[in-house]
Amino acid sequence: MESYQPLSRSIAGKKAIVTGAASGMGRATAHLFASEGATVAITDLDQARCDAVVQEIAAAGYSGSAEAWALDVSNPDIIKAVVADIANSFGAIDILVNNAGFAIPADVAEESYEDSWEPTLSVMLAAHQRMIRAALPHLREAEHPRIVNIASTEGLGASPGNSPYVAAKHGVIGLTKGLAVDLGREGITVNCICPGPIRTGITDAISEEHKTIYAKRRVALRRYAIPEEVAHMTLSCVLPAASFLTGAIIPVDGGLTIKNA
């Protein structure tokens, strides 16, 4: 019998990029990674908000650290420039978390539908592959390269009035599966997390009363999650020990997708 082989569950010293890290799940992920000893690139649209998260992380006294970059993931040229600057500053890229996103209601019968379609697909699908392609030369040099794409339970089903978002999130799942196959031979893992009802800026407009009604009706755990609960699953996917996990589509939804009634 072969001896037991211990696998590392530490990301101390790893260099990570998190998009959409100024708030919500991205911010929680950045805090968690820094608390585990990683160096994190905080990227989001607004430099000041990114700087604020860096200051939060510094004040927390974690063993890891963070730096801030303004990043518009809808702009391919800016993606290339920012990823190159991060790699130059950090000396490496080991982990990429594609988290940036937003939600715009869209009625397919209205002229304004196109105003939602283009930016939604750009930010929440095209940007994922562009971030991955920009980071790929550096990930190829990493000892334990990890990519995590944040999709949604809307990538596993659909809600009304939301079809551009639904299409983008279904696309993220397909992209994850395709790239897991393409990059597997190089040991680069690509996984996808599908959050359900989470307390983020996207859900802030929903009243507490309606959150409660929805959760009790649809969610097995009968509540909304906090961003940190998603961040911990993201951490699990990027551990060195997660070396045989790739192409996985992981709902973090309190049982929403398995509850029939």
Side-chain angles (χ1 to χ4, degrees):
M1 181 180 296
E2 293 184 2
S3 60
Y4 171 74
Q5 298 183 41
L7 300 175
S8 173
R9 295 183 59 81
S10 171
I11 61 167
K14 300 296 185 184
K15 314 299 183 183
I17 300 175
V18 181
T19 68
S23 64
M25 293 179 291
R27 173 176 169 269
T29 300
H31 269 269
L32 180 59
F33 282 12
S35 76
E36 294 288 325
T39 303
V40 187
I42 309 294
T43 72
D44 213 310
L45 275 172
D46 185 81
Q47 181 72 47
R49 295 180 67 206
C50 293
D51 289 339
V53 177
V54 170
Q55 291 167 10
E56 291 172 4
I57 287 171
Y62 300 140
S63 56
S65 61
E67 296 182 32
W69 277 266
L71 173 60
D72 178 357
V73 296
S74 70
N75 187 313
D77 293 333
I78 291 176
I79 284 176
K80 291 177 184 177
V82 169
V83 170
D85 195 39
I86 292 169
N88 182 62
S89 178
F90 286 0
I93 298 172
D94 302 290
I95 298 165
L96 170 62
V97 180
N98 281 312
N99 170 79
F102 58 85
I104 305 174
D107 183 339
V108 70
E110 299 293 332
E111 285 296 324
S112 60
Y113 187 82
E114 288 288 346
D115 296 334
S116 173
W117 179 267
E118 293 295 339
T120 298
L121 271 290
S122 176
V123 168
M124 286 184 286
L125 181 54
H128 283 48
Q129 59 89 359
R130 288 169 178 155
M131 288 293 301
I132 290 167
R133 292 175 64 230
L136 191 55
H138 311 286
L139 291 167
R140 283 177 166 148
E141 299 297 319
E143 185 178 6
H144 303 290
R146 302 285 183 261
I147 299 168
V148 178
N149 296 321
I150 306 299
S152 167
T153 50
E154 293 292 279
L156 303 170
S159 298
N162 201 28
S163 56
Y165 187 89
V166 170
K169 295 304 187 180
H170 275 73
V172 170
I173 289 173
L175 179 68
T176 298
K177 292 177 179 180
L179 292 183
V181 172
D182 288 346
L183 300 177
R185 70 190 66 187
E186 301 179 66
I188 301 172
T189 68
V190 189
N191 292 293
C192 180
I193 293 173
C194 294
I198 315 296
R199 292 182 176 275
T200 68
I202 290 177
T203 61
D204 277 348
I206 302 171
S207 71
E208 286 301 316
E209 178 185 5
H210 284 95
K211 281 187 174 79
T212 300
I213 292 169
Y214 179 86
K216 287 183 176 180
R217 180 170 59 88
R218 293 291 310 277
V219 182
L221 292 178
R222 298 170 67 84
R223 64 176 177 85
Y224 272 56
I226 59 173
E228 288 78 5
E229 291 175 295
V230 180
H232 274 274
M233 182 55 70
T234 304
L235 174 63
S236 295
C237 290
V238 304
L239 296 175
S243 47
F244 207 58
L245 179 72
T246 199
I249 312 303
I250 307 170
V252 182
D253 65 357
L256 181 147
T257 51
I258 54 90
K259 189 174 185 294
N260 289 329

